[in-house]
Amino acid sequence: SLNFKQMGLYLSPAVFCYLMAGVVRRPTHAAAARSFATLGLATTLTFAACWAAFLPGGVSGVLAVLSRVFPTSRGLYEDKVASVWCTIALLPPLKLKAQLAAPALVRLTAGC
């Protein structure tokens, strides 16, 4: 889901913890290391398969995909476009979209 839309980032910590729980529950350290390596390889190959079609376009192809996944150039059009917005949406009086400009919201989301 990380390659789908920014909302996948909202769920990724929970999925990561679920998958890592399976790794740490292995009976031996060797089995845990094998499971961790398998999980890492599967993740890497999945990302490679998803991005392979865009890599021949070079940097511009990758940036085109990223601009579609994270549509910050046209402004943040709703409060729930990333995990930070889903968290902040729990506090109705705090509507940052009305208080900050789009570039400041992007920096806030990126943690900068």
Side-chain angles (χ1 to χ4, degrees):
S1 87
L2 292 177
N3 284 312
F4 176 60
K5 273 300 211 181
Q6 67 271 24
M7 285 305 293
L9 297 175
Y10 181 66
L11 301 173
S12 62
V15 173
F16 174 77
C17 289
Y18 173 78
L19 293 174
M20 288 306 293
V23 170
V24 298
R25 289 186 181 145
R26 299 292 179 192
T28 65
H29 291 298
R34 272 192 311 277
S35 181
F36 181 76
T38 302
L39 183 60
L41 181 64
T43 302
T44 302
L45 290 176
T46 301
F47 266 77
C50 288
W51 283 87
F54 305 105
L55 294 179
V59 175
S60 63
V62 172
L63 291 177
V65 172
L66 291 176
S67 70
R68 299 290 285 169
V69 173
F70 300 99
T72 58
S73 62
R74 63 179 184 225
L76 299 172
Y77 52 90
E78 60 184 43
D79 290 334
K80 297 177 181 162
V81 294
S83 57
V84 70
W85 310 128
C86 291
T87 304
I88 290 175
L90 298 174
L91 307 169
L94 187 58
K95 295 294 182 183
L96 294 179
K97 186 173 91 172
Q99 298 174 11
L100 298 173
L105 292 172
V106 171
R107 283 192 307 275
L108 176 66
T109 303
C112 301

